[in-house]
Amino acid sequence: MSETTFTPRVFSGIQPSGNLHLGNYLGALKRFVDWQAKDVETIYCMVDLHAITVWQDPVDLKKSTRELCAGFIAAGLDPEQSILINQSQVPEHAQLGWVFNCVARMGWMQRMTQFKDKAGKNAQNASLGLFGYPALMAADILVYHATHVPVGEDQKQHLELTRDIAAKFNHDYGVDFFPMTEPVIEGAATRVMSLRDGSKKMSKSDPSDASRINLTDDADAIAKKIRKAKTDPEALPSEEKGLEDRPEARNLVNIYAALNDQSVEQVLADVGGKQFSEFKPMLADLAVSKMAPISTEMARLMNEQDEIDRILTRGAERAREITAPILRKTYDIIGMVGPTTL
Ligand code: TYM
């Protein structure tokens, strides 16, 4: 069988489940914007079907979806250059998701650490959707034949599963139809940690608001959270190995490097030897200068709900030009009767 060459295409998604934070920004959103600047098609998705795998209040879900779209645009995504979509408005995601439910194996899903974390002790009471979540995620990506997926480190296992699903489909049907997607987990902040506890990931579900910088925080809130961030009593090292066993120090240096588009080595060459009393105000100024304009712009866009809804409707139309033929061809490969368009 000849190796198909797939045109480079970038896809990624974020759940509209509220509390969009600095980890989402540095691990994902900022890097979506970097990819948009390259000569490649970029598609970014608000994954509302994934969000309902755990309970979402209907009024909050609408608000969070529009807020996420506002966050995408405020962070620098241009709805003309990138395709911005809400997952439920592009039905081929769920349709291919069903096909992949029939390709993926129970045992694969049972190994997913995110399922184990989210389901907690009472896995019998978790929704079936939460269990099948990674198959829908594979469909999100593969329904575009996407080749590159920028994400934070916590999504690595899901992207490996996406490759397993693509490989099994191709093998079972004797085709070379779905690409082997590359996860793109890059930069200084692929895993931003809580500001209150350097051993815990910064997360939208942490009950402590002080643990994260929200994309909706204003300048004062951002500066205050950084001033109060947990640290240790030592000065900063001038080399990366000096950050070993210092999770809070490492986290703040990683955040600084990612916000300033520098490497950790470059940052430490500048700030090595400084106490946190000196470094924290530097970090607060940098974070405010990068993040506060995003929150201001998000607040402005949230008053333009009709415009946001129009952007998502237009995004869905553009997306379906790609997804409808790929789904049709998938059905054809499987042996489902219908018009063949490819
Ligand atoms: P979600 O909504 O939990 O997170 C969105 C993105 O933010 C990254 N991220 C972080 N990066 C660094 N540090 C952190 N503390 C941090 N917290 C979150 C995540 O890695 C992710 O890139 N399953 C996905 C959504 C999804 C998806 C997809 C992603 C659905 N379909 C297809 C890519 C492609 C999720 O729950 O992300």
Side-chain angles (χ1 to χ4, degrees):
M1 196 187 347
S2 68
E3 280 280 300
T4 311
T5 315
F6 292 92
T7 315
R9 186 178 274 158
V10 174
F11 178 92
S12 197
I14 299 185
Q15 294 195 58
S17 40
N19 291 345
L20 197 59
H21 56 73
L22 184 67
N24 299 132
Y25 177 67
L26 294 177
L29 203 38
K30 185 170 187 296
R31 299 184 27 253
F32 298 177
V33 179
D34 295 340
W35 275 102
Q36 180 184 253
K38 298 181 191 178
D39 189 19
V40 52
E41 194 169 17
T42 45
I43 302 145
Y44 298 120
C45 186
M46 286 124 248
V47 292
D48 56 356
L49 297 171
H50 278 115
I52 63 161
T53 55
V54 296
W55 170 250
Q56 300 294 326
D57 177 85
V59 174
D60 290 348
L61 181 60
K62 284 195 174 159
K63 177 169 177 279
S64 301
T65 304
R66 292 182 175 124
E67 195 168 85
L68 181 55
C69 187
F72 275 19
I73 297 167
L77 292 178
D78 172 354
E80 291 302 315
Q81 265 182 278
S82 294
I83 299 180
L84 303 186
I85 49 161
N86 185 28
Q87 193 184 24
S88 61
Q89 284 187 63
V90 183
E92 290 78 13
H93 288 238
Q95 290 173 295
L96 187 63
W98 177 259
V99 172
F100 288 168
N101 281 344
C102 303
V103 173
R105 307 286 96 182
M106 297 281 283
W108 300 1
M109 298 303 188
Q110 263 152 358
R111 283 195 291 275
M112 293 294 114
T113 53
Q114 188 160 313
F115 173 73
K116 289 189 227 167
D117 290 349
K118 282 204 172 179
K121 289 199 181 73
N122 198 358
Q124 289 301 314
N125 205 30
S127 73
L128 197 52
L130 189 66
F131 191 64
Y133 181 117
L136 178 60
M137 182 161 161
D140 295 337
I141 297 165
L142 295 171
V143 79
Y144 295 90
H145 279 184
T147 53
H148 294 79
V149 183
V151 282
E153 202 194 84
D154 59 357
Q155 296 302 312
K156 191 164 178 240
Q157 197 185 30
H158 285 160
L159 291 178
E160 283 161 5
L161 189 98
T162 299
R163 292 166 67 100
D164 291 343
I165 289 177
K168 181 162 164 51
F169 182 96
N170 288 347
H171 177 265
D172 288 354
Y173 292 101
V175 290
D176 193 14
F177 185 61
F178 288 116
M180 287 299 123
T181 302
E182 291 293 332
V184 191
I185 303 174
E186 281 175 350
T190 56
R191 189 173 175 84
V192 177
M193 308 308 278
S194 155
L195 298 178
R196 307 300 303 156
D197 177 352
S199 68
K200 274 191 358 204
K201 196 179 66 168
M202 184 177 285
S203 140
K204 53 185 94 177
S205 56
D206 193 316
S208 161
D209 189 60
S211 70
R212 64 181 163 264
I213 293 176
N214 300 302
L215 254 63
T216 47
D217 284 345
D218 63 13
D220 283 349
I222 298 169
K224 191 167 162 209
K225 285 178 182 176
I226 291 180
R227 262 201 319 275
K228 289 195 157 177
K230 189 174 169 206
T231 47
D232 59 39
E234 307 292 321
L236 284 159
S238 27
E239 287 180 14
E240 203 176 343
K241 65 176 177 337
L243 290 174
E244 269 165 33
D245 301 324
R246 296 182 64 187
E248 283 85 14
R250 172 180 286 282
N251 190 36
L252 295 187
V253 172
N254 284 352
I255 292 173
Y256 191 100
L259 282 172
N260 219 20
D261 290 312
Q262 285 181 301
S263 67
V264 168
E265 294 80 41
Q266 283 169 326
V267 174
L268 292 178
D270 291 341
V271 305
K274 287 192 197 302
Q275 296 291 338
F276 279 103
S277 54
E278 208 179 332
F279 179 62
K280 276 187 171 177
M282 288 171 65
L283 177 58
D285 284 351
L286 177 65
V288 166
S289 76
K290 302 279 181 180
M291 307 302 294
I294 298 178
S295 77
T296 310
E297 180 63 2
M298 268 174 86
R300 190 188 70 74
L301 286 165
M302 282 304 280
N303 290 323
E304 309 215 354
Q305 193 177 302
D306 291 349
E307 179 59 16
I308 294 217
D309 291 2
R310 261 196 302 278
I311 287 170
L312 292 177
T313 303
R314 175 75 192 118
E317 283 166 9
R318 290 169 69 196
R320 295 195 73 191
E321 287 172 18
I322 305 172
T323 58
I326 290 179
L327 181 75
R328 186 57 246 156
K329 179 70 185 171
T330 310
Y331 282 173
D332 188 47
I333 291 169
I334 295 172
M336 289 169 170
V337 174
T340 306
T341 51
L342 277 184

